[in-house]
Amino acid sequence: MPPDLDAAAAQAGNNSSDFVRKLYKMLEDPSYNSVVRWSADGDSFVVLENEKFTKTILPKHFKHSNFASFVRQLNKYDFHKVRHNEESGDTPYGRDAWEFRHPEFRADRKDNLDNIRRKAPAPRKPTQAEDAFPATQQIVVLSESLAATQHQIQALQEQYFELAQTNKVLVNEVVSLQKMVRAQSQVSNELITHLNNIEDRRRNSRHSNHSSHSSHSGPSFHPSTLGLLPDGADEPAPELRRAREILNGVSPDSQADRDLERLSVAYHQNGSPSDSATSSVMFTQPGAPPQMPLVHDPINDPRHMVYPVGQTTGIDPFHSDHIHNIPYSRPLSNPNIMTEAPSQSSPPAKEQFVSLWGSKKPKILLVEDDKTCARIGSKFLSNVDCSVETARNGLEAVDKINHESDRFDLIFMDIIMPHLDGVSATAMIRMVAPRIPIIAMTSNIRQEDIQTYFQYGMNDVLAKPFTRDGMVRILKKHLSYMLKDPQPIGLGADDTNQTAGAPGPGPPNSAGGYGGSGPAGVAMATMAGGGQVKFEQTPIQSPATTSSWHSPSQMPHTSPTLDSSGYMSAQIGSGPGGIVLTPGGTQRPPYANQVVPQVGTPTLGRMPDGMGLGDDRPEKRQRLYGPSQGQYVQ
Amino acid sequence: MSHTYDRDGEDSFNMAYFGDHVHLATFNQILEMDEDGEHDFSEPLVFNFFEQADETFENMDVALAAEDLDELSKLGHFLKGSSATLGFTKIKDSCQVIQQYGHKQTVEGTAEPDKAVCLGKIKEAINTLKTDKIDLEKTIKKFFGIEDK
């Protein structure tokens, strides 16, 4: 044996084969023969008596008494248990014996021990390298889903906040209603008392008239005995009594009252008392029908849900400023938020859009005060083959429309702008261009905001920061009649869309006053999607509609949905059914003054809502009334 | 540093490149508007934005000195719009802070009636804004292959 090799082996051995050396040394000891020894061939070793080995030999040589650890250690050095049963069925060392073998571990090859090493953890390295790429991918995916989750949480927080706000308003409402009712019952009591007195006096006087001679027998006794008098005198009395009984019988649920009291006190401590102040003002005015709001509210509420079906499903969950491209309108497209990032990385869409339009390309007016946003928006639009003009504020936009009312096919309108804000501009534009779709572009997409936008004649909302896809979606939806191939929209209302849109944007007079229910109005209905069922309730609660359209036939119809199928196909897209069907139509009158009844008529229940809205955004309210008040110079 | 357009690698490249400064999906759709790998649309756009940001910072400083919360809120809102549209997340977030506290509200939307607190928060946010903008501008310049002076 060459000495240099030996030395090398020894050196390596120091590092790696301590365990193997100990093992070999242990097997050299003949006194262990009955417990552990080399096999006959010297190519394996056998633990004959497991228990003894564990208790006596292991501690001596390996400083522990755990057979399992010993076996694990062996495995690490690539020893394997020899299975006898499987191979031949004979067990030369007894059933409880453990035989271990390693190809290099032999009784006659002590010099070879250094070749027995721990199994390298080698396999990991290559896999790690392979994993590296998927790992970054995973991180991307994870961080994306994390961001999405964060957005959701944030949105939920905001939703919660809004709900809390609404609840507060409601509680205040109920409290003031309670006061109202209490006052009413007090009034009733007073009236009854008063009537009683009159009654008594009248009875007395009649009684004294008829039987002035028998005076002292007491008035209460006479009515029952005198058969002639009761007609006038006796009959009202039980009614009064009943009335009083009823009044007394209605004892307030004191527990509920106390709870409510606590709530309202809590709210007053937390928030602005203005809500309750305004609402109580609202409710003391009407006097006579204090119950009406209660009766109407439940009917009124669905109306709130009607046009923004997206309001609950589309906006609320995601109305944070930080989310890009919130598809306000269609619950369908909500997943966009999640899928946006992936969809960005698929640019081939570009080619597809070149041929998006039919013979005529849409002309878009982009009203946006921010240079950067305007440039990006213009670029996105021209990229999908639209011609774009921009206006830097509401005033410029109004000028352009005044100059040529049918120049544009669609307007994207920023909300907060200097000189004239987008909502006011829209109201003005509606006077000359009742049909053109006007899309609010804004990061203020709380539902009160959106309600305002719709009330002043806007048709849809594109959340800021806007994306190209978001813009395209709006274009496809509102300019479906200009598409070369309108099929892809693939919505149930597509047919109506086409028929209504067929006349084109040119002659709006075909539908007379309600030109508003052109393609845009229908699109609103489209937007509401499956919400048609809800519309069934609209005719009940929308007196404005009935009065303005003078449609006597409307009330008898129980289901406007039926109407729509009848009338819409008859090209009267704006018949009574049509209007009711498309709340956008009613919400979007051509003239601003029609908005007022819209807001005002539907009972008191609605008013506090409006008030809350005003509270929230005082600066907007101000600016609605013209540029003079706007300190927003830019 | 070359910027050949390799779609698959681009996102991860940009991710590593811009860190949390930039919302990639948003910024990428701006880059997609460029023709054939030239940054003829995005580059001037971005640098106009930086100019816009510098102007806004000056206005903010003036408004801060004047303790004009309304103006600060307005300026915050203004810059928020363009930064968000470009996907410049950090800048947008600071703008949001300024806008909110300009309205005497926390970022979560609860009232913060103490004007001094609001001004403090806004001052902080403006400082962050300026640093972030400098960092971002450096990164973007590198990305577009423009040497910093």
Side-chain angles (χ1 to χ4, degrees):
Chain A
M1 188 185 299
D4 57 328
L5 230 169
D6 216 27
Q11 208 176 14
N14 283 341
N15 295 332
S16 58
S17 304
D18 221 19
F19 170 75
V20 183
R21 283 171 187 286
K22 279 187 200 165
L23 193 64
Y24 193 87
K25 198 180 165 200
M26 176 189 79
L27 290 169
E28 279 179 323
D29 194 332
S31 64
Y32 296 145
N33 241 350
S34 61
V35 181
V36 57
R37 59 174 151 88
W38 286 104
S39 66
D41 296 339
D43 62 350
S44 65
F45 74 96
V46 191
V47 179
L48 295 158
E49 293 201 47
N50 197 334
E51 213 180 328
K52 225 182 226 175
F53 175 77
T54 305
K55 279 188 181 157
T56 60
I57 300 175
L58 273 184
K60 220 183 259 178
H61 289 267
F62 297 99
K63 296 191 178 97
H64 66 77
S65 57
N66 186 332
F67 190 68
S69 298
F70 178 67
V71 173
R72 214 177 303 130
Q73 195 84 352
L74 285 171
N75 283 335
K76 277 183 188 160
Y77 283 86
D78 221 11
F79 282 79
H80 292 281
K81 191 171 183 249
V82 181
R83 292 169 193 272
H84 290 284
N85 292 345
E86 285 174 8
E87 290 165 13
S88 55
D90 76 339
T91 52
Y93 308 105
R95 276 204 314 160
D96 294 326
W98 293 63
E99 188 180 355
F100 295 98
R101 177 179 287 152
H102 188 287
E104 308 290 337
F105 190 67
R106 301 174 64 92
D108 55 347
R109 293 293 305 274
K110 189 178 179 180
D111 59 296
N112 202 29
L113 291 183
D114 288 331
N115 288 333
I116 304 165
R117 303 187 180 219
R118 280 175 77 101
K119 282 190 278 186
R124 275 192 198 167
K125 270 229 156 153
T127 48
Q128 229 169 18
E130 277 166 21
D131 276 349
F133 184 60
T136 56
Q137 290 284 82
Q138 278 172 339
I139 289 169
V140 172
V141 170
L142 276 176
S143 66
E144 268 170 7
S145 67
L146 180 64
T149 311
Q150 281 169 337
H151 285 156
Q152 268 173 322
I153 290 170
Q154 194 184 8
L156 283 173
Q157 276 173 338
E158 274 163 286
Q159 198 181 20
Y160 160 78
F161 181 69
E162 285 197 347
L163 282 175
Q165 286 283 80
T166 316
N167 203 33
K168 177 178 150 186
V169 172
L170 285 175
V171 166
N172 284 330
E173 212 78 85
V174 171
V175 167
S176 62
L177 270 175
Q178 256 185 344
K179 279 184 203 153
M180 197 65 216
V181 168
R182 239 175 278 138
Q184 288 289 318
S185 68
Q186 199 137 16
V187 167
S188 306
N189 264 324
E190 294 293 328
L191 283 173
I192 291 174
T193 311
H194 181 64
L195 284 172
N196 258 338
N197 289 342
I198 292 176
E199 197 64 29
D200 283 347
R201 245 179 290 147
R202 191 173 57 153
R203 233 179 297 150
N204 280 339
S205 65
R206 282 204 200 178
H207 178 72
S208 51
N209 282 345
H210 282 263
S211 53
S212 52
H213 52 278
S214 63
S215 54
H216 289 92
S217 41
S220 60
F221 181 72
H222 280 276
S224 54
T225 48
L226 294 174
L228 292 175
L229 292 178
D231 279 16
D234 209 12
E235 221 165 288
E239 279 175 6
L240 285 177
R241 220 185 307 128
R242 265 209 304 281
R244 199 187 281 280
E245 269 164 25
I246 290 168
L247 273 177
N248 291 340
V250 182
S251 60
D253 181 349
S254 53
Q255 179 57 40
D257 275 4
R258 270 199 301 280
D259 291 347
L260 200 66
E261 188 69 38
R262 248 201 333 269
L263 267 180
S264 90
V265 166
Y267 282 139
H268 275 271
Q269 281 163 351
N270 293 345
S272 64
S274 61
D275 277 341
S276 77
T278 48
S279 62
S280 61
V281 166
M282 305 306 313
F283 280 90
T284 43
Q285 277 172 352
Q291 306 284 20
M292 288 307 277
L294 268 185
V295 177
H296 275 258
D297 247 34
I299 305 167
N300 212 12
D301 266 3
R303 211 272 289 266
H304 287 239
M305 326 273 294
V306 166
Y307 59 82
V309 155
Q311 196 175 74
T312 39
T313 52
I315 282 296
D316 267 351
F318 299 106
H319 75 45
S320 135
D321 289 352
H322 308 277
I323 295 177
H324 306 271
N325 184 25
I326 293 168
Y328 158 71
S329 43
R330 265 181 234 159
L332 276 179
S333 20
N334 270 344
N336 257 19
I337 292 152
M338 306 298 199
T339 59
E340 185 193 19
S343 76
Q344 293 298 339
S345 47
S346 58
K350 226 182 256 181
E351 279 70 41
Q352 180 189 326
F353 284 123
V354 172
S355 54
L356 192 61
W357 310 108
S359 55
K360 188 170 171 275
K361 289 171 188 170
K363 280 205 182 96
I364 310 293
L365 176 60
L366 178 65
V367 191
E368 166 66 68
D369 63 320
D370 181 84
K371 269 186 300 183
T372 306
C373 292
R375 286 176 68 172
I376 295 173
S378 304
K379 185 74 177 181
F380 286 165
L381 288 169
S382 54
N383 185 255
V384 292
D385 212 21
C386 295
S387 65
V388 193
E389 284 186 31
T390 53
R392 282 171 302 176
N393 56 59
L395 220 50
E396 274 192 28
V398 172
D399 280 350
K400 276 184 191 281
I401 300 294
N402 276 340
H403 189 250
E404 196 181 341
S405 67
D406 56 355
R407 179 173 173 75
F408 300 102
D409 299 302
L410 186 142
I411 303 177
F412 283 108
M413 181 80 81
D414 191 15
I415 298 297
I416 299 178
M417 287 181 292
H419 307 307
L420 187 65
D421 67 279
V423 178
S424 309
T426 301
M428 292 170 81
I429 288 172
R430 279 293 171 233
M431 292 186 216
V432 289
R435 296 186 52 152
I436 182 169
I438 303 183
I439 315 298
M441 284 193 305
T442 178
S443 56
N444 294 318
I445 46 177
R446 294 174 177 278
Q447 69 189 51
E448 307 90 20
D449 295 331
I450 287 169
Q451 228 154 312
T452 311
Y453 304 154
F454 280 110
Q455 272 163 13
Y456 284 86
M458 295 183 133
N459 303 71
D460 210 336
V461 175
L462 176 63
K464 265 187 172 179
F466 55 80
T467 60
R468 181 170 156 286
D469 290 349
M471 282 186 143
V472 169
R473 193 167 35 79
I474 293 279
L475 293 175
K476 280 183 172 175
K477 184 165 99 188
H478 292 276
L479 300 177
S480 57
Y481 64 95
M482 297 181 81
L483 288 171
K484 193 203 271 173
D485 175 19
Q487 299 292 63
I489 294 182
L491 285 164
D494 208 27
D495 290 349
T496 26
N497 230 342
Q498 279 178 292
T499 45
N509 43 351
S510 61
Y514 18 77
S517 59
V522 175
M524 293 281 302
T526 309
M527 179 190 90
Q532 291 199 347
V533 181
K534 290 181 184 162
F535 296 159
E536 287 186 359
Q537 286 154 344
T538 31
I540 312 168
Q541 47 74 39
S542 124
T545 312
T546 37
S547 60
S548 3
W549 309 120
H550 299 294
S551 159
S553 62
Q554 189 175 340
M555 292 316 278
H557 287 302
T558 45
S559 159
T561 323
L562 288 177
D563 281 359
S564 71
S565 57
Y567 289 124
M568 296 291 269
S569 56
Q571 259 285 5
I572 318 178
S574 34
I579 282 303
V580 175
L581 228 191
T582 62
T586 55
Q587 295 290 333
R588 204 163 36 71
Y591 302 106
N593 60 355
Q594 288 192 7
V595 172
V596 180
Q598 198 61 31
V599 180
T601 39
T603 76
L604 298 157
R606 199 185 155 78
M607 299 299 272
D609 207 33
M611 303 305 288
L613 183 150
D615 289 347
D616 269 357
R617 305 152 24 264
E619 88 283 2
K620 288 233 171 97
R621 281 282 143 143
Q622 270 182 10
R623 277 172 308 118
L624 285 180
Y625 301 108
S628 55
Q629 300 190 7
Q631 332 87 319
Y632 293 79
V633 240
Q634 179 58 44
Chain B
M1 179 160 282
S2 77
H3 299 290
T4 41
Y5 269 67
D6 148 30
R7 274 292 156 199
D8 293 336
E10 192 183 28
D11 278 8
S12 43
F13 165 73
N14 285 354
M15 168 78 82
Y17 204 86
F18 295 121
D20 52 356
H21 272 291
V22 176
H23 185 265
L24 282 182
T26 311
F27 190 60
N28 275 342
Q29 67 169 356
I30 307 286
L31 294 179
E32 274 168 22
M33 292 297 112
D34 287 326
E35 307 285 331
D36 306 324
E38 295 287 312
H39 294 300
D40 52 358
F41 172 67
S42 59
E43 194 180 304
L45 184 77
V46 168
F47 288 103
N48 275 330
F49 168 78
F50 286 135
E51 282 169 27
Q52 194 183 8
D54 285 334
E55 284 166 27
T56 313
F57 292 165
E58 282 171 30
N59 293 336
M60 280 178 174
D61 286 339
V62 173
L64 187 65
E67 303 195 348
D68 184 346
L69 285 181
D70 277 349
E71 176 71 8
L72 284 165
S73 180
K74 198 210 78 181
L75 290 167
H77 173 87
F78 178 72
L79 199 60
K80 185 180 81 171
S82 41
S83 53
T85 309
L86 284 166
F88 295 164
T89 320
K90 276 192 170 181
I91 291 186
K92 182 207 67 185
D93 289 344
S94 296
C95 287
Q96 173 76 2
V97 172
I98 294 169
Q99 186 190 353
Q100 287 295 99
Y101 280 100
H103 272 316
K104 291 194 170 182
Q105 280 182 355
T106 64
V107 180
E108 289 76 31
T110 48
E112 174 53 72
D114 190 337
K115 188 174 182 182
V117 171
C118 292
L119 286 169
K121 292 278 186 187
I122 290 174
K123 191 174 183 185
E124 215 174 277
I126 293 178
N127 286 336
T128 315
L129 201 51
K130 288 175 177 171
T131 335
D132 285 344
K133 182 249 166 187
I134 291 170
D135 287 352
L136 178 64
E137 191 168 9
K138 268 186 202 154
T139 320
I140 293 265
K141 275 185 176 168
K142 260 192 225 157
F143 175 75
F144 284 140
I146 298 171
E147 285 308 307
D148 218 341
K149 296 159 216 163

